[in-house]
Coordinates of all heavy atoms in Angstrom, one line a residue:
M1 N -3.5 -0.4 7.0 CA -2.1 -0.1 7.2 C -1.3 -1.4 7.1 O -0.2 -1.4 6.7 CB -1.9 0.6 8.5 CG -2.7 1.9 8.7 SD -1.9 3.3 8.0 CE -0.6 3.6 9.0
V2 N -1.9 -2.5 7.5 CA -1.2 -3.8 7.5 C -0.9 -4.2 6.0 O 0.2 -4.6 5.7 CB -2.0 -4.9 8.2 CG1 -1.4 -6.3 8.0 CG2 -2.1 -4.6 9.7
V3 N -1.9 -3.9 5.1 CA -1.7 -4.3 3.7 C -0.6 -3.4 3.1 O 0.2 -3.9 2.4 CB -3.0 -4.1 2.9 CG1 -2.8 -4.4 1.5 CG2 -4.1 -5.1 3.5
S4 N -0.6 -2.1 3.5 CA 0.5 -1.2 3.0 C 1.8 -1.7 3.5 O 2.8 -1.7 2.7 CB 0.2 0.2 3.5 OG -1.1 0.7 3.0
G5 N 1.9 -2.1 4.7 CA 3.1 -2.6 5.3 C 3.6 -3.9 4.6 O 4.8 -4.0 4.3
T6 N 2.6 -4.7 4.3 CA 3.0 -6.0 3.6 C 3.5 -5.6 2.2 O 4.5 -6.3 1.7 CB 1.7 -6.9 3.5 OG1 1.3 -7.1 4.8 CG2 2.0 -8.2 2.7
R7 N 2.9 -4.7 1.5 CA 3.3 -4.3 0.2 C 4.8 -3.8 0.2 O 5.6 -4.1 -0.6 CB 2.4 -3.2 -0.4 CG 2.6 -3.0 -1.8 CD 3.3 -1.7 -2.1 NE 3.4 -1.4 -3.5 CZ 4.5 -1.3 -4.2 NH1 5.6 -1.5 -3.6 NH2 4.5 -1.0 -5.4
C8 N 5.1 -3.0 1.2 CA 6.4 -2.4 1.4 C 7.4 -3.6 1.7 O 8.5 -3.6 1.2 CB 6.5 -1.3 2.4 SG 5.6 0.2 1.9
L9 N 7.0 -4.5 2.6 CA 7.9 -5.6 2.9 C 8.2 -6.4 1.6 O 9.3 -6.8 1.3 CB 7.2 -6.5 3.9 CG 8.0 -7.8 4.3 CD1 9.3 -7.4 5.1 CD2 7.1 -8.7 5.1
L10 N 7.2 -6.7 0.8 CA 7.4 -7.4 -0.4 C 8.3 -6.6 -1.4 O 9.2 -7.1 -2.0 CB 6.0 -7.7 -1.1 CG 5.2 -8.8 -0.4 CD1 3.8 -8.9 -1.1 CD2 5.9 -10.1 -0.5
A11 N 8.0 -5.3 -1.5 CA 8.7 -4.5 -2.5 C 10.1 -4.3 -2.2 O 11.0 -4.2 -3.1 CB 8.0 -3.1 -2.6
Y12 N 10.5 -4.2 -0.9 CA 11.8 -3.9 -0.5 C 12.6 -5.0 0.1 O 13.8 -4.9 0.3 CB 11.8 -2.7 0.5 CG 11.2 -1.5 -0.2 CD1 10.0 -0.9 0.3 CD2 11.8 -0.9 -1.3 CE1 9.4 0.2 -0.3 CE2 11.2 0.2 -1.9 CZ 10.1 0.7 -1.4 OH 9.5 1.8 -2.0
V13 N 12.0 -6.1 0.4 CA 12.7 -7.3 0.9 C 12.6 -8.5 0.0 O 13.6 -9.1 -0.4 CB 12.3 -7.6 2.4 CG1 12.9 -8.9 2.9 CG2 12.5 -6.4 3.3
V14 N 11.3 -8.9 -0.2 CA 11.1 -10.2 -0.9 C 11.5 -10.0 -2.4 O 12.3 -10.8 -3.0 CB 9.6 -10.6 -0.8 CG1 9.4 -11.8 -1.7 CG2 9.3 -11.0 0.6
F15 N 11.0 -9.0 -3.1 CA 11.3 -8.8 -4.5 C 12.7 -8.6 -4.8 O 13.3 -9.3 -5.7 CB 10.4 -7.7 -5.1 CG 9.0 -7.9 -5.1 CD1 8.1 -6.8 -5.1 CD2 8.4 -9.2 -4.9 CE1 6.7 -7.0 -5.1 CE2 7.0 -9.4 -4.9 CZ 6.2 -8.3 -5.0
P16 N 13.4 -7.8 -4.1 CA 14.9 -7.6 -4.5 C 15.8 -8.7 -4.1 O 16.9 -8.8 -4.7 CB 15.3 -6.3 -3.7 CG 14.1 -5.7 -3.1 CD 13.0 -6.7 -3.1
Y17 N 15.4 -9.5 -3.0 CA 16.4 -10.5 -2.5 C 16.0 -11.9 -2.8 O 16.8 -12.8 -3.1 CB 16.6 -10.2 -1.0 CG 17.2 -8.9 -0.8 CD1 16.5 -7.9 -0.2 CD2 18.5 -8.6 -1.1 CE1 17.0 -6.6 0.1 CE2 19.1 -7.3 -0.9 CZ 18.3 -6.4 -0.3 OH 18.8 -5.1 -0.1
V18 N 14.7 -12.2 -2.6 CA 14.2 -13.6 -2.8 C 13.9 -13.9 -4.2 O 14.3 -15.0 -4.7 CB 13.0 -13.8 -1.9 CG1 12.4 -15.2 -2.1 CG2 13.3 -13.6 -0.4
F19 N 13.2 -13.1 -4.9 CA 12.8 -13.4 -6.3 C 14.0 -13.5 -7.2 O 14.0 -14.4 -8.1 CB 11.9 -12.3 -6.9 CG 10.4 -12.6 -6.5 CD1 10.1 -13.6 -5.6 CD2 9.4 -11.7 -6.9 CE1 8.8 -13.8 -5.2 CE2 8.1 -12.0 -6.6 CZ 7.8 -13.0 -5.7
P20 N 15.1 -12.7 -7.1 CA 16.3 -12.9 -8.0 C 16.9 -14.3 -7.8 O 17.4 -14.9 -8.7 CB 17.3 -11.9 -7.5 CG 16.4 -10.8 -7.0 CD 15.3 -11.5 -6.3
L21 N 16.8 -14.8 -6.6 CA 17.3 -16.2 -6.3 C 16.5 -17.2 -7.1 O 17.0 -18.3 -7.5 CB 17.3 -16.5 -4.8 CG 18.3 -15.7 -4.0 CD1 18.0 -16.0 -2.5 CD2 19.7 -16.0 -4.3
L22 N 15.2 -16.9 -7.3 CA 14.3 -17.8 -8.0 C 14.3 -17.5 -9.5 O 13.7 -18.3 -10.2 CB 12.9 -17.7 -7.4 CG 12.7 -18.0 -5.9 CD1 11.3 -17.7 -5.5 CD2 13.1 -19.5 -5.7
G23 N 14.8 -16.4 -9.9 CA 14.9 -16.0 -11.3 C 13.6 -15.5 -11.9 O 13.3 -15.7 -13.1
V24 N 12.7 -14.9 -11.1 CA 11.4 -14.4 -11.6 C 11.2 -13.0 -11.2 O 10.1 -12.6 -10.8 CB 10.3 -15.3 -10.9 CG1 10.3 -16.7 -11.5 CG2 10.3 -15.3 -9.4
T25 N 12.1 -12.1 -11.5 CA 12.0 -10.7 -11.1 C 11.5 -9.8 -12.2 O 11.0 -8.7 -11.8 CB 13.4 -10.2 -10.7 OG1 14.3 -10.3 -11.8 CG2 13.9 -10.8 -9.5
D26 N 11.5 -10.1 -13.4 CA 11.2 -9.2 -14.5 C 9.8 -8.7 -14.4 O 9.5 -7.5 -14.5 CB 11.5 -9.7 -15.8 CG 13.0 -10.0 -16.1 OD1 13.8 -9.4 -15.3 OD2 13.4 -10.7 -17.0
V27 N 8.8 -9.5 -14.4 CA 7.4 -9.1 -14.5 C 6.7 -9.4 -13.2 O 5.8 -8.6 -12.8 CB 6.7 -9.9 -15.6 CG1 5.2 -9.6 -15.7 CG2 7.4 -9.6 -17.0
V28 N 7.0 -10.4 -12.4 CA 6.3 -10.8 -11.3 C 6.3 -9.7 -10.2 O 5.3 -9.3 -9.7 CB 6.8 -12.1 -10.7 CG1 6.2 -12.4 -9.4 CG2 6.7 -13.2 -11.7
G29 N 7.5 -9.1 -9.9 CA 7.6 -8.1 -8.9 C 6.7 -6.9 -9.1 O 5.8 -6.6 -8.3
P30 N 6.8 -6.2 -10.3 CA 5.9 -5.0 -10.5 C 4.5 -5.4 -10.6 O 3.6 -4.6 -10.1 CB 6.4 -4.5 -11.8 CG 7.8 -5.0 -11.9 CD 7.9 -6.3 -11.3
A31 N 4.1 -6.5 -11.2 CA 2.7 -6.9 -11.3 C 2.1 -7.2 -9.9 O 1.0 -6.7 -9.6 CB 2.6 -8.2 -12.2
V32 N 2.8 -7.9 -9.1 CA 2.3 -8.1 -7.7 C 2.3 -6.8 -6.9 O 1.4 -6.5 -6.2 CB 3.2 -9.2 -7.0 CG1 2.8 -9.3 -5.5 CG2 3.0 -10.5 -7.7
G33 N 3.3 -5.9 -7.2 CA 3.3 -4.6 -6.5 C 2.1 -3.8 -6.8 O 1.5 -3.1 -6.0
V34 N 1.7 -3.8 -8.1 CA 0.5 -3.0 -8.5 C -0.7 -3.6 -7.8 O -1.6 -2.8 -7.3 CB 0.4 -3.0 -10.0 CG1 -1.0 -2.4 -10.5 CG2 1.5 -2.2 -10.7
A35 N -0.9 -4.9 -7.9 CA -2.1 -5.5 -7.3 C -2.2 -5.2 -5.8 O -3.2 -4.9 -5.3 CB -2.0 -7.0 -7.6
I36 N -1.1 -5.4 -5.1 CA -1.1 -5.2 -3.7 C -1.3 -3.7 -3.4 O -1.9 -3.3 -2.4 CB 0.2 -5.7 -3.0 CG1 0.3 -7.2 -3.1 CG2 0.3 -5.2 -1.6 CD1 1.5 -7.8 -2.6
G37 N -0.7 -2.8 -4.2 CA -0.9 -1.4 -4.1 C -2.4 -1.0 -4.1 O -2.9 -0.2 -3.4
V38 N -3.1 -1.6 -5.1 CA -4.5 -1.3 -5.3 C -5.3 -1.8 -4.0 O -6.1 -1.0 -3.5 CB -5.1 -2.0 -6.5 CG1 -6.6 -1.9 -6.6 CG2 -4.5 -1.3 -7.8
V39 N -5.0 -2.9 -3.6 CA -5.6 -3.5 -2.3 C -5.3 -2.6 -1.1 O -6.2 -2.2 -0.3 CB -5.2 -4.9 -2.1 CG1 -5.7 -5.4 -0.7 CG2 -5.7 -5.8 -3.2
A40 N -4.1 -2.1 -1.0 CA -3.7 -1.2 0.1 C -4.5 0.1 0.0 O -4.9 0.6 1.1 CB -2.2 -0.9 0.0
V41 N -4.6 0.7 -1.1 CA -5.4 1.9 -1.2 C -6.8 1.7 -0.8 O -7.4 2.5 -0.1 CB -5.3 2.5 -2.7 CG1 -6.3 3.6 -2.9 CG2 -3.9 3.0 -2.9
V42 N -7.4 0.6 -1.3 CA -8.8 0.3 -0.9 C -9.0 0.2 0.6 O -9.9 0.8 1.2 CB -9.3 -0.9 -1.7 CG1 -10.7 -1.4 -1.1 CG2 -9.4 -0.7 -3.1
F43 N -8.1 -0.6 1.2 CA -8.1 -0.7 2.7 C -7.9 0.6 3.4 O -8.5 0.8 4.5 CB -7.1 -1.8 3.1 CG -7.7 -3.2 3.0 CD1 -7.5 -4.0 1.9 CD2 -8.4 -3.8 4.1 CE1 -8.0 -5.2 1.8 CE2 -8.9 -5.1 4.0 CZ -8.7 -5.8 2.8
N44 N -7.1 1.4 2.9 CA -6.9 2.7 3.6 C -8.1 3.6 3.5 O -8.5 4.3 4.4 CB -5.7 3.4 3.0 CG -4.4 2.9 3.6 OD1 -4.1 3.2 4.8 ND2 -3.6 2.2 2.8
V45 N -8.8 3.6 2.3 CA -10.0 4.3 2.2 C -11.1 3.8 3.1 O -11.8 4.5 3.7 CB -10.5 4.3 0.7 CG1 -11.9 4.8 0.6 CG2 -9.6 5.1 -0.2
V46 N -11.2 2.5 3.2 CA -12.1 1.8 4.1 C -11.8 2.3 5.6 O -12.7 2.6 6.4 CB -12.1 0.3 4.0 CG1 -12.9 -0.4 5.1 CG2 -12.7 -0.1 2.7
S47 N -10.6 2.4 5.9 CA -10.2 2.8 7.3 C -10.6 4.2 7.5 O -11.1 4.5 8.6 CB -8.6 2.7 7.4 OG -8.2 3.2 8.6
I48 N -10.4 5.1 6.5 CA -10.8 6.5 6.7 C -12.3 6.6 6.9 O -12.8 7.3 7.8 CB -10.4 7.3 5.5 CG1 -8.9 7.5 5.4 CG2 -11.1 8.7 5.5 CD1 -8.4 8.1 4.1
R49 N -13.1 5.8 6.1 CA -14.5 5.9 6.2 C -15.0 5.3 7.6 O -15.9 5.9 8.2 CB -15.1 5.0 5.1 CG -15.0 5.7 3.7 CD -15.7 5.0 2.7 NE -17.1 5.1 3.0 CZ -18.1 4.3 2.5 NH1 -17.8 3.3 1.7 NH2 -19.3 4.4 2.9
R50 N -14.3 4.3 8.1 CA -14.7 3.7 9.4 C -14.5 4.7 10.5 O -15.3 4.9 11.4 CB -13.9 2.5 9.6 CG -14.3 1.7 10.8 CD -13.6 0.4 11.0 NE -13.2 -0.2 9.8 CZ -11.9 -0.6 9.5 NH1 -11.0 -0.6 10.4 NH2 -11.7 -1.2 8.3
F51 N -13.3 5.4 10.5 CA -13.0 6.4 11.5 C -14.0 7.6 11.5 O -14.5 8.1 12.5 CB -11.6 7.0 11.4 CG -10.6 6.2 12.1 CD1 -10.0 5.1 11.6 CD2 -10.2 6.5 13.4 CE1 -9.0 4.3 12.2 CE2 -9.3 5.8 14.1 CZ -8.7 4.7 13.5
W52 N -14.4 8.0 10.3 CA -15.4 9.1 10.2 C -16.8 8.6 10.5 O -17.6 9.4 11.1 CB -15.3 9.7 8.8 CG -14.2 10.6 8.7 CD1 -12.9 10.3 8.4 CD2 -14.2 12.0 8.9 NE1 -12.1 11.4 8.4 CE2 -12.8 12.5 8.8 CE3 -15.1 12.9 9.3 CZ2 -12.5 13.8 8.9 CZ3 -14.8 14.3 9.4 CH2 -13.5 14.7 9.3
R53 N -17.2 7.4 10.2 CA -18.5 6.9 10.5 C -18.8 6.8 12.0 O -19.9 7.1 12.4 CB -18.7 5.5 9.8 CG -20.2 5.1 9.8 CD -20.4 3.8 9.1 NE -19.6 3.7 7.8 CZ -18.8 2.6 7.6 NH1 -18.7 1.6 8.4 NH2 -18.2 2.6 6.4
V54 N -17.8 6.4 12.7 CA -18.0 6.3 14.2 C -17.6 7.6 14.9 O -17.7 7.7 16.1 CB -17.2 5.1 14.8 CG1 -17.7 3.8 14.2 CG2 -15.7 5.3 14.6
D55 N -17.2 8.6 14.1 CA -16.9 9.9 14.7 C -15.8 9.8 15.8 O -15.9 10.3 16.9 CB -18.1 10.7 15.2 CG -17.8 12.2 15.4 OD1 -17.0 12.7 14.7 OD2 -18.5 12.8 16.3
H56 N -14.7 9.0 15.4 CA -13.6 8.8 16.4 C -12.9 10.1 16.6 O -12.8 10.9 15.7 CB -12.7 7.7 15.7 CG -11.7 7.2 16.7 ND1 -10.6 7.8 17.1 CD2 -11.8 6.0 17.4 CE1 -9.9 7.1 18.0 NE2 -10.6 6.0 18.2
R57 N -12.4 10.2 17.8 CA -11.7 11.5 18.2 C -10.4 11.7 17.4 O -9.9 12.8 17.3 CB -11.4 11.6 19.7 CG -10.5 10.6 20.2 CD -10.3 10.7 21.7 NE -9.3 9.7 22.2 CZ -8.0 10.0 22.2 NH1 -7.5 11.2 21.9 NH2 -7.1 9.1 22.7
L58 N -9.8 10.6 16.9 CA -8.5 10.7 16.2 C -8.8 10.6 14.6 O -7.8 10.3 13.9 CB -7.6 9.6 16.6 CG -7.1 9.7 18.1 CD1 -6.2 8.5 18.4 CD2 -6.3 11.0 18.3
K59 N -10.0 10.9 14.2 CA -10.3 10.8 12.8 C -9.4 11.6 11.9 O -9.0 11.2 10.8 CB -11.8 11.0 12.5 CG -12.2 12.4 12.8 CD -13.7 12.5 12.6 CE -14.2 13.9 13.0 NZ -15.6 13.9 13.1
W60 N -9.1 12.9 12.3 CA -8.3 13.7 11.5 C -6.8 13.2 11.4 O -6.2 13.2 10.3 CB -8.3 15.2 12.0 CG -9.6 15.9 11.7 CD1 -10.6 16.1 12.5 CD2 -9.9 16.4 10.4 NE1 -11.6 16.8 11.8 CE2 -11.2 16.9 10.5 CE3 -9.3 16.4 9.1 CZ2 -11.8 17.5 9.4 CZ3 -9.9 17.0 8.1 CH2 -11.2 17.6 8.2
A61 N -6.3 12.8 12.5 CA -4.9 12.3 12.5 C -4.8 11.0 11.7 O -3.9 10.9 10.9 CB -4.5 12.0 14.0
M62 N -5.7 10.1 11.9 CA -5.7 8.8 11.1 C -6.0 9.1 9.6 O -5.4 8.4 8.8 CB -6.7 7.8 11.7 CG -6.3 7.3 13.0 SD -4.6 6.6 13.0 CE -4.8 5.3 11.8
S63 N -6.8 10.0 9.3 CA -7.1 10.4 7.9 C -5.8 10.9 7.3 O -5.5 10.6 6.1 CB -8.2 11.4 7.8 OG -9.4 10.8 8.3
T64 N -5.1 11.7 8.0 CA -3.9 12.3 7.5 C -2.8 11.2 7.2 O -2.2 11.2 6.1 CB -3.3 13.3 8.5 OG1 -4.3 14.3 8.7 CG2 -2.0 13.9 8.0
V65 N -2.7 10.3 8.1 CA -1.8 9.2 7.9 C -2.2 8.3 6.7 O -1.4 8.0 5.9 CB -1.6 8.3 9.2 CG1 -0.9 7.1 8.9 CG2 -1.0 9.1 10.3
N66 N -3.5 8.0 6.7 CA -4.0 7.2 5.6 C -3.8 7.9 4.2 O -3.5 7.2 3.2 CB -5.4 6.8 5.8 CG -5.6 5.6 6.8 OD1 -4.9 4.7 6.7 ND2 -6.5 5.8 7.7
V67 N -4.1 9.2 4.2 CA -3.9 9.9 2.9 C -2.5 9.9 2.5 O -2.1 9.7 1.3 CB -4.5 11.3 3.0 CG1 -4.1 12.2 1.8 CG2 -6.0 11.2 3.1
A68 N -1.6 10.0 3.4 CA -0.1 10.0 3.1 C 0.3 8.6 2.6 O 1.0 8.5 1.6 CB 0.7 10.3 4.4
V69 N -0.3 7.6 3.2 CA 0.0 6.2 2.7 C -0.6 6.0 1.3 O 0.1 5.4 0.5 CB -0.5 5.2 3.7 CG1 -0.5 3.8 3.2 CG2 0.3 5.2 5.0
I70 N -1.8 6.5 1.1 CA -2.4 6.4 -0.2 C -1.5 7.1 -1.3 O -1.3 6.6 -2.4 CB -3.8 7.0 -0.2 CG1 -4.7 6.0 0.6 CG2 -4.3 7.2 -1.6 CD1 -6.1 6.6 0.8
G71 N -1.0 8.3 -0.9 CA -0.1 9.0 -1.8 C 1.1 8.2 -2.1 O 1.6 8.1 -3.3
L72 N 1.7 7.6 -1.1 CA 2.9 6.7 -1.3 C 2.6 5.5 -2.2 O 3.3 5.2 -3.1 CB 3.5 6.3 0.0 CG 4.7 5.4 0.0 CD1 5.9 6.1 -0.7 CD2 5.1 4.9 1.4
M73 N 1.4 4.9 -1.9 CA 1.0 3.7 -2.7 C 0.8 4.1 -4.2 O 1.2 3.3 -5.1 CB -0.2 3.1 -2.2 CG -0.1 2.4 -0.8 SD 1.0 1.0 -0.9 CE 2.4 1.6 0.0
C74 N 0.3 5.3 -4.4 CA 0.1 5.7 -5.8 C 1.4 6.0 -6.5 O 1.6 5.6 -7.7 CB -0.8 7.0 -5.9 SG -2.5 6.6 -5.4
Y75 N 2.3 6.6 -5.8 CA 3.6 6.8 -6.3 C 4.4 5.5 -6.7 O 4.9 5.3 -7.7 CB 4.5 7.6 -5.3 CG 5.9 7.8 -5.7 CD1 6.3 8.7 -6.7 CD2 6.9 7.1 -5.1 CE1 7.6 8.9 -7.1 CE2 8.2 7.2 -5.5 CZ 8.6 8.1 -6.4 OH 9.9 8.3 -6.8
L76 N 4.3 4.5 -5.7 CA 4.9 3.2 -6.0 C 4.2 2.5 -7.1 O 4.9 1.8 -7.9 CB 4.9 2.4 -4.7 CG 5.8 2.9 -3.5 CD1 5.5 2.1 -2.3 CD2 7.2 2.9 -3.9
A77 N 2.9 2.6 -7.2 CA 2.2 1.9 -8.3 C 2.6 2.5 -9.6 O 2.7 1.8 -10.6 CB 0.7 2.0 -8.0
A78 N 2.7 3.8 -9.6 CA 3.2 4.5 -10.9 C 4.5 4.0 -11.3 O 4.7 3.7 -12.5 CB 3.2 6.0 -10.7
G79 N 5.4 3.8 -10.4 CA 6.7 3.3 -10.7 C 6.7 1.8 -11.2 O 7.3 1.5 -12.2
D80 N 5.8 1.0 -10.6 CA 5.6 -0.4 -11.1 C 5.0 -0.4 -12.4 O 5.4 -1.2 -13.3 CB 4.8 -1.1 -10.1 CG 5.5 -1.5 -8.8 OD1 6.7 -1.5 -8.8 OD2 4.8 -1.7 -7.8
I81 N 4.0 0.5 -12.7 CA 3.4 0.5 -14.0 C 4.4 0.9 -15.1 O 4.4 0.4 -16.2 CB 2.1 1.4 -14.0 CG1 1.0 0.7 -13.1 CG2 1.6 1.7 -15.4 CD1 -0.1 1.6 -12.8
A82 N 5.2 1.9 -14.7 CA 6.2 2.4 -15.7 C 7.2 1.2 -16.0 O 7.6 1.1 -17.1 CB 6.9 3.6 -15.1
E83 N 7.5 0.5 -15.0 CA 8.5 -0.6 -15.2 C 7.8 -1.7 -16.0 O 8.5 -2.3 -16.9 CB 8.9 -1.2 -13.8 CG 10.0 -2.2 -13.9 CD 10.6 -2.6 -12.5 OE1 10.5 -1.8 -11.6 OE2 11.0 -3.7 -12.4
L84 N 6.6 -2.0 -15.8 CA 5.9 -3.0 -16.6 C 5.7 -2.5 -18.1 O 5.8 -3.3 -19.0 CB 4.5 -3.3 -16.1 CG 4.4 -4.1 -14.8 CD1 3.0 -4.1 -14.2 CD2 4.9 -5.5 -15.1
A85 N 5.5 -1.2 -18.3 CA 5.3 -0.7 -19.6 C 6.6 -0.6 -20.4 O 6.5 -0.6 -21.7 CB 4.7 0.7 -19.5
G86 N 7.7 -0.5 -19.8 CA 8.8 -0.3 -20.7 C 10.1 -0.7 -20.1 O 11.1 -0.8 -20.6

């Protein structure tokens, strides 16, 4: 979840406000967004597996949250890929 939060912080704060000041927004933002999105999805899957492996009492709730975050990361990654492609 921390990686997903970092990705969102970068996507909505750093990329739109800091990178334009540096003049590196065209390719760097979406490329980094895709990379961080992939890492976020992997960490969320690892989190789901960990909760299920130890049979945690909140495994269903955490799995639901993680799946929702994975869906959001996939949506954001699709947007970044589309921006990189054209």
Side-chain angles (χ1 to χ4, degrees):
M1 302 280 286
V2 172
V3 177
S4 300
T6 302
R7 193 256 187 241
C8 290
L9 177 70
L10 288 172
Y12 299 114
V13 176
V14 174
F15 296 158
Y17 299 108
V18 176
F19 279 3
L21 293 174
L22 301 174
V24 291
T25 57
D26 293 343
V27 177
V28 174
V32 172
V34 169
I36 292 174
V38 169
V39 172
V41 168
V42 169
F43 275 91
N44 278 291
V45 169
V46 169
S47 175
I48 292 170
R49 291 189 62 199
R50 188 176 327 130
F51 270 87
W52 281 84
R53 193 176 317 127
V54 298
D55 198 29
H56 195 277
R57 66 181 183 88
L58 296 175
K59 64 186 174 191
W60 283 103
M62 289 307 299
S63 295
T64 302
V65 170
N66 281 315
V67 168
V69 169
I70 289 170
L72 178 62
M73 291 295 107
C74 289
Y75 173 77
L76 293 172
D80 286 339
I81 290 169
E83 190 171 330
L84 285 171

